[in-house]
């Protein structure tokens, strides 16, 4: 039989995507091998997206092409009840005595101290750890802890029976590392968990009281083997977390983003005479000067990467394996998992938002101001903007009627389904060719095509079907006559979702789409450049029925600050939501917002009385919001508030609440691409 000639433009498939490694994908994307391996190692081999985001963030890192390997550590870490006790102890000891040497790391028992591993060998050591734990024949006795207190050290020592078994496992791991040319030595001394050391003598009694108040063997606890890695540049440095952002005004200054960490020489803070210190950014790898009081001390392990976590003697109720995320409450990975996704982190409940231009001149004290210029309009709820009704004395929420707000994520998108689809679906002349039945029949004509589809892709056929099914379900639930106002993100996938929902509701001819740029997703996910959206005329040509003379709540020109923090994104989304609700108040009827995965939370959270989420919290929640998810928020139309309530007391009461959506969720399975040639004899 003659050999088949190679395909010139083979269609990418889910099957081939599943069979190739993350490294191969990055190489196909054009990244050099040593950089791809470095990025995968730095991000815990979690996924291609995270590694590519790391590479983009480190494009100006002077050590990007250095062949210096990372340092790895094998720890035994508590979980469950003991972990909760230790977290409380850590917080109380810092609050009452200040930081000591133990606060540099998360609670742990050292099994294998730092050893260096070439980036190309990282998958091998992870597989080795899995193999050793899976084939460990000797069961580990129950781990019991004994309290030890001296004038310069406090901690827990493991009982001898369990310690010996764990030491054997660690020694085997170190021996087998040598077989792949990695030098490591297992910890041979008594296994212990440090609670405090390097503390002033005056703190002894307080720390002793806190340690003795703990009962490490009370309650259900379990233990995990964890493999961490850290940047070699951490050696001899202290880790500080950014609490206020800073935009450089001089070429030797370091840009600070909320959620980043900075490596600082321990003597730098003491030697500074003008409030400025030199540091290295964990997020970008760049170095420069920064205002000292824009950062605060944190644990070194916050800037580590977790590669593997394996439960020791897990029970059926306690299986908990976490791979490729950051150390210490997801701190290290929380930002990079969204650096193109998620490049900012809110300052939290008690931290002010700061202006980007408030860093002090050299030699002057640093005092951050309290409000970011780019969000001050969003938090000012008394502004009468874009034709909205003025704010009345008593909340609109107490008017009669149960208005509802529906928030929907777009349907399945082409690029996440087929990967690099543009080179395969557009010929030399730029003509679109459908290569799969789940690809759209056609794509809109637009300026800059096909390149402009790269960051603004269409829906798949399944995505359009999902949106239609959701609209149909809402119609069956009696919502067709209740939804009177529709606002949509300018992304193509959102517009197509909106159009198909309205078709399913059978109201596409009666309810126009109000285009709203402010509903676009977090700008920090677009570090290199923003998408080039369809123009209004291109949208009309593509068949989208837009509301005429709609005045944007937030103009396209305002979507330019790609340093937008998570808190600023929540402020923007909440502002748009408030505008949509206020300007439709006099008409009545329910409101439908079409946007992105993050839109469901960002547009509802503050409405129901919550605070903006931090970047790591947002990262976790968006992964739990599948295509065409529907959130429903209902106005709380209760009795009039007491007349003696102050305006502040009235305003503090949530006026809306999350409710169960009127339609069930949508579930579907993955479907591999069929190749008819598999049936050939």
């Amino acid at each position: 039989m003659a050999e088949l000639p190679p395909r010139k433009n083979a269609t990418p498939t889910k099957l081939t995507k599943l069979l190739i490694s993350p490294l191969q994908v990055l190489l196909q994307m054009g990244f050099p091998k040593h950089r791809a391996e470095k990025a995968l190692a730095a991000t815990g081999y979690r996924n291609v997206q995270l590694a590519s985001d790391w590479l983009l963030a480190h494009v100006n890192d002077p050590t990007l092409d250095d062949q210096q390997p990372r340092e790895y550590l094998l720890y035994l870490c508590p979980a469950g009840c003991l972990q909760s006790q230790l977290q409380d102890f850590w917080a109380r000891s810092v609050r009452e005595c200040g930081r000591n040497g133990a606060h540099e790391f998360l609670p742990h028992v050292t099994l294998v101290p730092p050893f260096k591993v070439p980036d190309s060998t990282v998958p091998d050591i992870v597989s080795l750890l899995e193999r050793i734990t899976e084939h460990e024949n000797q069961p580990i006795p129950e781990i019991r802890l004994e309290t030890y207190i001296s004038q310069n050290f406090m901690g827990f020592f493991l009982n001898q029976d369990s310690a010996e078994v764990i030491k054997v496992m660690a020694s085997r791991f170190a021996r087998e590392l040598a077989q792949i040319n990695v030098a490591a030595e297992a910890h041979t001394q008594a296994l212990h968990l440090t609670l405090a050391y390097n503390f002033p003598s005056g703190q002894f009694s307080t720390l002793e009281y806190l340690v003795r108040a703990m009962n490490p063997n009370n309650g259900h606890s379990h233990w995990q083997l964890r493999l961490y890695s850290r940047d070699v540049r951490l050696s001899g440095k202290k880790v500080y977390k950014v609490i206020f952002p800073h935009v450089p005004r001089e070429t030797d200054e370091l840009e600070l983003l909320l959620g980043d960490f900075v490596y600082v020489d321990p003597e730098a803070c003491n030697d500074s005479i003008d409030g400025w210190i030199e540091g290295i950014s964990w997020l970008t790898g760049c170095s420069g000067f920064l205002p000292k009081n824009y950062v605060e001390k944190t644990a070194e392990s916050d800037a580590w990467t977790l590669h593997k976590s394996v439960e020791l003697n897990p029970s059926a109720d306690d299986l908990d394996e976490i791979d490729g995320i950051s150390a210490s409450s997801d701190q290290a990975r929380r930002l990079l998992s969204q650096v193109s996704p998620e490049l900012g982190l809110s300052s939290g409940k008690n931290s002010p938002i700061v202006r980007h231009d408030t860093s002090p001149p050299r030699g002057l004290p640093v005092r951050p101001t309290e409000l970011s210029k780019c969000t001050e309009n969003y938090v000012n709820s008394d502004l009468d903007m874009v034709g909205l009704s003025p704010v009345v004395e008593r909340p609109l929420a107490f008017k009669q009627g149960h208005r509802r707000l529906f928030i929907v994520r777009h349907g399945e998108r082409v690029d996440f389904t087929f990967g690099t689809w543009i080179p395969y679906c557009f010929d030399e002349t730029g003509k679109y060719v459908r290569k799969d039945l789940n690809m759209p029949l056609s794509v809109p004509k637009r300026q800059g095509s096909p390149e402009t589809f790269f960051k603004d892709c269409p829906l798949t056929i399944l995505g359009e079907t999902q949106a239609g099914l959701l609209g149909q379900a809402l119609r069956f639930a009696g919502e067709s006559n209740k939804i009177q106002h529709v606002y949509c993100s300018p992304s193509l996938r959102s517009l197509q979702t909106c159009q198909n929902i309205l078709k399913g509701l059978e109201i596409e001819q009666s309810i126009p789409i109000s285009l709203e740029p402010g509903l676009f997703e977090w700008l920090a996910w677009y570090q290199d450049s923003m998408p080039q959206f369809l123009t209004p005329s291109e949208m009309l040509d593509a068949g989208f029925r837009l509301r005429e003379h709609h005045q944007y709540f937030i103009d396209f020109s305002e979507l330019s600050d790609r340093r937008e923090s998570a808190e600023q994104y929540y402020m923007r989304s909440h502002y748009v939501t408030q505008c949509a609700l206020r300007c439709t108040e006099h008409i009545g009827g329910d409101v439908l917002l079409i946007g992105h995965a993050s839109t469901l939370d960002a547009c509802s959270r503050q409405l129901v009385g919550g605070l903006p989420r931090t970047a790591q919290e947002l990262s976790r929640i968006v992964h739990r919001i599948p295509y065409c998810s529907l959130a429903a928020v209902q106005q709380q139309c209760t009795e009039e508030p007491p007349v003696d309530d102050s305006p502040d007391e009235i305003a503090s009461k949530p006026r809306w609440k999350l409710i169960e959506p009127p339609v069930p969720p949508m579930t579907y399975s993955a479907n591999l691409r069929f190749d008819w040639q598999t049936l050939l004899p």
Side-chain angles (χ1 to χ4, degrees):
M1 180 182 293
E3 292 186 1
L4 289 172
R7 291 278 304 276
K8 180 180 180 182
N9 286 324
T11 304
T13 67
K14 284 186 177 180
L15 180 60
T16 56
K17 287 200 297 182
L18 290 173
L19 294 178
I20 62 177
S21 67
L23 177 59
Q24 290 173 312
V25 175
L26 290 172
L27 295 178
Q28 291 178 2
M29 295 171 67
F31 292 110
K33 184 179 180 181
H34 69 281
R35 288 190 176 187
E37 290 174 339
K38 194 181 190 81
L40 288 168
T43 57
Y45 271 79
R46 189 176 182 187
N47 56 50
V48 173
Q49 180 66 56
L50 194 55
S52 60
D53 291 340
W54 186 93
L55 285 165
L56 292 174
H58 284 255
V59 66
N60 295 318
D61 184 349
T63 67
L64 183 59
D65 294 316
D66 289 356
Q67 300 298 316
Q68 184 76 286
R70 293 174 68 84
E71 286 185 329
Y72 290 75
L73 312 94
L74 183 63
Y75 278 177
L76 178 67
C77 298
C81 180
L82 179 57
Q83 181 188 32
S84 299
Q85 287 192 63
L86 289 169
Q87 288 174 342
D88 291 341
F89 170 80
W90 246 246
R92 289 192 63 186
S93 60
V94 169
R95 183 170 61 251
E96 298 184 24
C97 300
R99 303 183 65 86
N100 61 63
H103 296 119
E104 290 297 323
F105 310 97
L106 72 164
H108 70 279
V109 177
T110 301
L111 300 183
V112 181
F115 56 96
K116 293 184 178 181
V117 179
D119 295 333
S120 59
T121 311
V122 174
D124 296 332
I125 67 170
V126 173
S127 300
L128 174 60
L129 181 61
E130 292 174 336
R131 186 169 68 252
I132 289 176
T133 53
E134 288 174 2
H135 297 88
E136 181 62 39
N137 296 322
Q138 185 175 0
I140 299 175
E142 180 185 5
I143 297 177
R144 307 288 293 180
L145 300 176
E146 299 176 1
T147 304
Y148 178 87
I149 295 178
S150 70
Q151 291 297 320
N152 55 13
F153 175 88
M154 299 182 188
F156 297 137
F157 280 81
L158 276 66
N159 62 310
Q160 186 173 357
D161 291 343
S162 60
E164 290 304 318
V165 176
I166 294 171
K167 281 184 181 181
V168 169
M169 187 183 303
S171 297
R172 181 183 170 191
F173 178 69
R175 288 196 308 271
E176 297 202 17
L177 284 175
Q179 298 179 12
I180 55 176
N181 299 319
V182 174
E185 294 184 4
H187 190 79
T188 57
Q189 299 177 356
L191 298 184
H192 61 276
L193 189 154
T194 302
L195 297 175
Y197 73 98
N198 285 351
F199 51 84
S201 58
Q203 298 176 0
F204 175 81
S205 58
T206 303
L207 288 171
E208 181 185 23
Y209 171 79
L210 294 176
V211 170
R212 294 196 184 281
M214 299 177 64
N215 189 344
N217 300 310
N218 183 33
H220 181 63
S221 298
H222 49 279
W223 295 78
Q224 297 170 345
L225 287 177
R226 296 184 186 175
L227 181 66
Y228 289 102
S229 75
R230 64 187 182 189
D231 191 334
V232 292
R233 287 179 291 182
L234 261 175
S235 179
K237 300 287 196 302
K238 299 295 184 181
V239 176
Y240 290 76
K241 66 179 179 182
V242 176
I243 57 175
F244 301 113
H246 168 64
V247 177
R249 295 181 296 183
E250 303 291 342
T251 56
D252 63 346
E253 294 180 7
L254 181 66
E255 181 177 15
L256 300 181
L257 296 171
L258 291 173
D260 194 4
F261 299 100
V262 182
Y263 311 152
V264 178
D265 187 280
E267 301 299 325
C269 287
N270 297 330
D271 296 341
S272 175
I273 60 174
D274 61 357
W276 289 78
I277 55 178
E278 188 172 11
I280 303 172
S281 166
W282 165 84
L283 181 63
T284 66
C286 299
S287 60
F289 288 91
L290 59 132
K292 183 170 65 173
N293 65 338
Y294 273 42
V295 296
E296 70 178 11
K297 189 71 181 68
T298 191
E300 177 191 317
S301 54
D302 283 358
W304 293 358
T305 298
L306 175 60
H307 291 262
K308 189 67 183 178
S309 176
V310 182
E311 196 83 15
L312 289 186
N313 291 347
S315 67
D317 296 329
D318 295 309
L319 288 174
D320 182 20
E321 183 169 325
I322 311 168
D323 301 332
I325 59 176
S326 70
S328 185
S329 304
D330 302 348
Q331 290 273 348
R333 276 289 70 69
R334 70 181 180 210
L335 185 59
L336 249 196
S337 89
Q338 319 285 298
V339 76
S340 222
E342 262 190 70
L343 199 45
L345 181 67
S346 74
S347 50
K349 181 176 180 180
N350 297 318
S351 300
I353 310 169
V354 298
R355 295 182 184 270
H356 288 293
D357 59 352
T358 56
S359 56
R362 300 287 178 87
L364 294 181
V366 184
R367 295 188 59 83
T369 57
E370 296 185 353
L371 186 64
S372 171
K373 183 176 181 179
C374 58
T375 58
E376 58 190 5
N377 287 340
Y378 306 154
V379 298
N380 186 353
S381 59
D382 292 332
L383 292 179
D384 180 15
M385 301 179 65
V386 294
L388 304 184
S389 302
V391 178
V392 296
E393 278 188 18
R394 304 190 71 77
L396 296 173
F398 294 100
K399 292 182 66 175
Q400 294 299 317
H402 291 75
R403 296 185 76 203
R404 284 177 298 177
L405 171 69
F406 296 114
I407 314 170
V408 178
R409 183 194 178 184
H410 60 74
E412 183 183 76
R413 49 193 290 179
V414 167
D415 54 354
F416 281 13
T417 304
F418 295 98
T420 308
W421 65 287
I422 294 177
Y424 299 97
C425 295
F426 290 87
D427 60 21
E428 294 80 359
T429 65
K431 180 181 178 182
Y432 171 74
V433 180
R434 188 187 192 195
K435 294 292 186 69
D436 190 282
L437 292 181
N438 194 29
M439 287 183 170
L441 291 170
S442 61
V443 294
K445 294 181 179 180
R446 65 190 305 177
Q447 185 177 2
S449 176
E451 288 77 11
T452 45
F453 285 109
F454 178 70
K455 291 190 175 182
D456 189 31
C457 72
L459 295 181
T460 63
I461 293 296
L462 177 59
E464 295 179 355
T465 304
Q466 291 168 333
L469 287 173
L470 178 58
Q472 184 186 71
L474 288 169
R475 173 163 56 87
F476 291 162
E479 300 299 328
S480 294
N481 295 327
K482 299 177 182 178
I483 295 176
Q484 299 295 319
H485 318 280
V486 179
Y487 296 89
C488 185
S489 163
S491 69
L492 176 56
R493 55 191 181 276
S494 298
L495 285 165
Q496 290 178 322
T497 300
C498 186
Q499 185 181 52
N500 282 278
I501 289 176
L502 296 180
K503 287 182 179 178
L505 282 163
E506 297 184 351
I507 57 174
E508 73 273 18
Q509 297 302 320
S510 57
I511 305 295
I513 301 172
S514 298
L515 190 67
E516 183 44 57
L519 286 176
F520 188 60
E521 60 188 340
W522 194 5
L523 304 186
W525 294 350
Y526 297 87
Q527 282 302 295
D528 51 348
S529 64
M530 287 289 292
Q532 181 178 326
F533 301 113
L534 294 175
T535 65
S537 60
E538 289 172 338
M539 294 178 186
L540 294 173
D541 292 340
F544 299 114
R545 185 168 176 267
L546 302 180
R547 177 180 163 195
E548 295 182 2
H549 310 302
H550 169 60
Q551 196 168 2
Y552 303 144
F553 303 141
I554 293 179
D555 195 79
F556 282 101
S557 61
E558 298 181 62
L559 301 181
S560 58
D561 185 3
R562 297 192 295 276
R563 294 184 300 270
E564 183 180 52
S565 70
E567 188 166 18
Q568 291 165 349
Y569 168 59
Y570 272 86
M571 291 292 188
R572 165 165 63 89
S573 300
H574 181 53
Y575 173 76
V576 170
T577 306
Q578 286 184 314
C579 290
L581 293 172
R582 288 186 181 183
C583 70
T584 58
E585 178 73 22
H586 63 290
I587 302 175
D590 295 341
V591 177
L592 175 64
L593 305 182
I594 310 294
H596 308 265
S598 55
T599 308
L600 276 70
D601 191 60
C603 287
S604 64
R605 185 160 178 81
Q606 291 167 271
L607 199 64
V608 299
L611 293 171
R613 295 187 192 272
T614 60
Q616 71 271 29
E617 292 170 337
L618 178 59
S619 173
R620 286 193 292 267
I621 200 168
V622 294
H623 293 299
R624 299 166 58 188
I625 302 176
Y627 295 126
C628 277
S629 294
L630 170 68
V633 190
Q634 182 170 289
Q635 195 172 25
Q636 298 190 68
C637 299
T638 59
E639 67 279 356
E640 287 284 328
V643 294
D644 56 348
D645 274 5
S646 69
D648 288 342
E649 290 174 327
I650 297 173
S652 66
K653 297 177 180 178
R655 309 171 193 176
W656 296 77
K657 65 177 180 179
L658 281 166
I659 61 172
E660 182 179 357
V663 301
M666 188 184 314
T667 307
Y668 48 91
S669 66
N671 188 47
L672 295 178
R673 180 184 176 92
F674 172 66
D675 184 357
W676 65 272
Q677 296 183 80
T678 58
L679 305 179
L680 292 174

